[in-house]
Amino acid sequence: MLVHATFHKQLLSPLCFAKCHVDDEAGLLAFKSGITRDPSGMLSSWIPGTDCCSWSGLTCFSSDLPSDRVTDLFLSGDATNPNSFLTGTISPSLFIKARRLSRIFIENTNITGTLPKDIFNLPRLQFLTIRNNKLSGPLRIDISPKSDRFQSLELDGNQFTGSIPNSISQFTHLLSLYLNNNKFSGGIPYSFRQFRNMTYLRLQNNQLSGGIPDIFKSLVLRDFDLSYNKLSGGIPPSFSFLAPELQFFRASHNALTGRIPDYLRNFQTLDELDLSYNRLSGPIPTTKFPVESFIGNDRLCGFPLSPCKK
C-alpha cells in the first residue's frame, strides 16, 4: 500500500539528531533481549548507551513531539532468504516504555508467541503492520481509551486463533483491516458495522463460520475479501448499500447458499467479483463477469454458465 511506501521513505530520512529518551531506550533494548537469533544483524546497531535515534529501523521525528522520542519502528526481513529472519518473541515492555510509537512495521520474521495487548494502548498509534510472522494465540484487545489516529491494522500472515474480538470495533477511524491468512474461527463480529470509514477489509483464508452479518448500511468498503472460509447463508440485504464504492468482492470457497441478489447489477464500480465454489442457486443476474466468477456452484444457471432450464 502507499502508506508503507511513505512510511519506509520517512524512516530512511535523516530526521533525528538528539539522543533518544531513556524510556524508549529501555523499551527497545527489552525488545532486543527477546530476540534469540538475528543472523542478518538487523539489530546490531542497537547498543546500550548510544543514541537510539540512530539505530537501524527507527525514526525519532514528529512535528508535534520533542525529537528525542521514537515514533517509527520498521523491521523487515528479506522474504527471499528465510534463513536471515529474526527469531524470538515481542517483549510487552517495548509498548509500555516507548509510548510515542505511532507507526510500527514488522514483517517477514520468525517471531513467535502472542501479540502483547499493550500495543493497542499506544496513545498516538496510527499504522500497525505485523505481517508474515509466526505470532499465534488469541488477539487480545482491551476496551479502554485508544488513539483517535489509528488508521491501519494489518496482521495478515500469522497464526492467530480464536474469535475476532468485538473490541476491535472500537477503532472506528480504521481505513484498513487485514486479518487474512490466519486461523481465526467463529463469526464475523456484528460490531463491524461501526467501521464507517473503512475501505479495505480482508478476512480471507481463515476458518470463519456462520453467516455474513447484515451490517453494511453505513459502510463504504472498496475492497472486501471473505474467500476460503466456512461461511454459510446468503448475501444479506444491506450489502446493496456498498454499490457506490465497492470495487472488489471475493467470497469464493465458502458454503454460501441462496440466490445472487438482483441488485448486484447496480454495482457500477465493481471491477472484480468472485463467488465461485459455494452452494449458490438460481439464475445469475445480468453480469459483465466471466465464468470464473461463478463456477463451482452446481445449481447456478444463466450466462456465463449454462442456460437455465425452463
Side-chain angles (χ1 to χ4, degrees):
M1 288 179 63
L2 179 61
V3 164
H4 299 154
T6 303
F7 183 13
H8 198 181
K9 181 178 179 181
Q10 291 177 343
L11 282 166
L12 296 177
S13 301
L15 294 172
C16 54
F17 306 94
K19 179 176 172 60
C20 72
H21 193 280
V22 61
D23 286 344
D24 293 344
E25 180 179 9
L28 292 162
L29 291 175
F31 174 84
K32 184 178 180 179
S33 70
I35 300 301
T36 58
R37 188 169 182 269
D38 180 14
S40 65
M42 190 178 298
L43 307 182
S44 60
S45 64
W46 293 28
I47 300 172
T50 62
D51 178 11
C52 66
C53 287
S54 67
W55 296 356
S56 62
L58 301 178
T59 297
C60 296
F61 176 80
S62 179
S63 61
D64 60 346
L65 286 173
S67 61
D68 67 342
R69 297 309 303 259
V70 174
T71 57
D72 299 345
L73 170 63
F74 186 99
L75 299 173
S76 181
D78 180 1
T80 65
N81 184 16
N83 290 328
S84 69
F85 288 0
L86 289 175
T87 299
T89 58
I90 299 177
S91 170
S93 295
L94 173 61
F95 312 115
I96 295 172
K97 292 289 189 177
R99 296 291 291 164
R100 298 299 188 269
L101 279 170
S102 64
R103 294 181 289 188
I104 301 168
F105 190 96
I106 302 173
E107 74 166 358
N108 298 329
T109 79
N110 286 326
I111 290 176
T112 58
T114 59
L115 181 65
K117 62 182 180 179
D118 307 276
I119 197 170
F120 296 106
N121 294 324
L122 292 170
R124 294 175 178 268
L125 187 62
Q126 290 181 282
F127 305 109
L128 175 57
T129 297
I130 303 184
R131 60 152 55 114
N132 298 333
N133 301 288
K134 294 184 178 179
L135 295 174
S136 59
L139 182 60
R140 297 173 300 161
I141 302 174
D142 288 338
I143 298 177
S144 61
K146 301 295 191 301
S147 169
D148 59 4
R149 309 178 185 192
F150 196 14
Q151 298 179 37
S152 178
L153 174 57
E154 303 184 4
L155 301 177
D156 46 303
N158 284 285
Q159 300 172 13
F160 290 112
T161 56
S163 300
I164 299 173
N166 280 305
S167 54
I168 202 170
S169 62
Q170 67 189 296
F171 304 128
T172 56
H173 296 276
L174 281 178
L175 303 178
S176 60
L177 176 61
Y178 292 7
L179 299 178
N180 50 292
N181 298 85
N182 280 286
K183 298 179 181 179
F184 287 114
S185 57
I188 299 172
Y190 187 74
S191 59
F192 274 22
R193 70 189 185 280
Q194 296 172 222
F195 288 137
R196 298 187 177 187
N197 299 305
M198 185 169 292
T199 54
Y200 297 90
L201 178 55
R202 296 184 179 174
L203 303 175
Q204 72 269 25
N205 290 298
N206 279 290
Q207 299 171 18
L208 299 174
S209 59
I212 301 174
D214 197 12
I215 58 173
F216 302 101
K217 188 173 182 180
S218 299
L219 304 191
V220 291
L221 294 174
R222 295 179 185 174
D223 188 328
F224 187 24
D225 200 330
L226 297 172
S227 54
Y228 291 92
N229 279 290
K230 300 178 180 179
L231 298 170
S232 58
I235 299 174
S238 66
F239 194 85
S240 62
F241 286 89
L242 298 180
E245 301 290 342
L246 193 64
Q247 298 176 9
F248 305 96
F249 178 51
R250 309 171 196 89
S252 69
H253 295 85
N254 281 285
L256 299 178
T257 56
R259 296 194 171 205
I260 298 175
D262 287 337
Y263 60 67
L264 275 183
R265 70 183 68 180
N266 300 324
F267 281 54
Q268 300 301 315
T269 62
L270 195 61
D271 292 326
E272 182 180 337
L273 174 68
D274 191 354
L275 298 173
S276 61
Y277 297 99
N278 280 284
R279 299 175 186 173
L280 298 167
S281 59
I284 299 172
T286 303
T287 183
K288 63 182 179 182
F289 296 104
V291 64
E292 290 80 11
S293 296
F294 306 102
I295 59 173
N297 292 279
D298 294 340
R299 298 176 64 190
L300 272 184
C301 61
F303 180 84
L305 299 179
S306 301
C308 296
K309 296 178 181 179
K310 294 184 180 180

